[in-house]
Amino acid sequence: ELVERLVPYLRAQPAVVDGSRTLTYGQLDKRSDALAHTIGQQAPDAPVIGISSRRSLEMIVGVLAILKAGKA
């Protein structure tokens, strides 16, 4: 919810940095929304979704998507 509230103000600002890779707030919001939608389609009845990943941009996208999908 916090990221979604910040997007209109910080859309082009860096939200996550992993070495030389960066996601802006807008990119993070867009990617996590898309993944949350996929989670909702693929696992509509799952009460929780887990994630196993190294620290990375993709992990942050995944965790945010799980929260947005209501599967935490």
Side-chain angles (χ1 to χ4, degrees):
E1 198 172 283
L2 177 60
V3 171
E4 291 172 332
R5 284 189 272 147
L6 292 174
V7 168
Y9 307 104
L10 303 173
R11 181 169 302 280
Q13 298 298 313
V16 183
V17 178
D18 179 23
S20 63
R21 300 185 317 150
T22 301
L23 281 180
T24 65
Y25 279 91
Q27 292 168 324
L28 178 60
D29 188 52
K30 184 176 179 179
R31 290 185 188 187
S32 61
D33 280 347
L35 184 54
H37 179 74
T38 300
I39 289 170
Q41 288 182 325
Q42 296 293 318
D45 298 327
V48 295
I49 300 288
I51 190 166
S52 176
S53 173
R54 296 180 295 126
R55 291 182 187 179
S56 65
L57 298 177
E58 293 78 16
M59 182 196 72
I60 300 301
V61 170
V63 169
L64 189 54
I66 290 167
L67 290 169
K68 286 182 173 189
K71 304 291 185 173

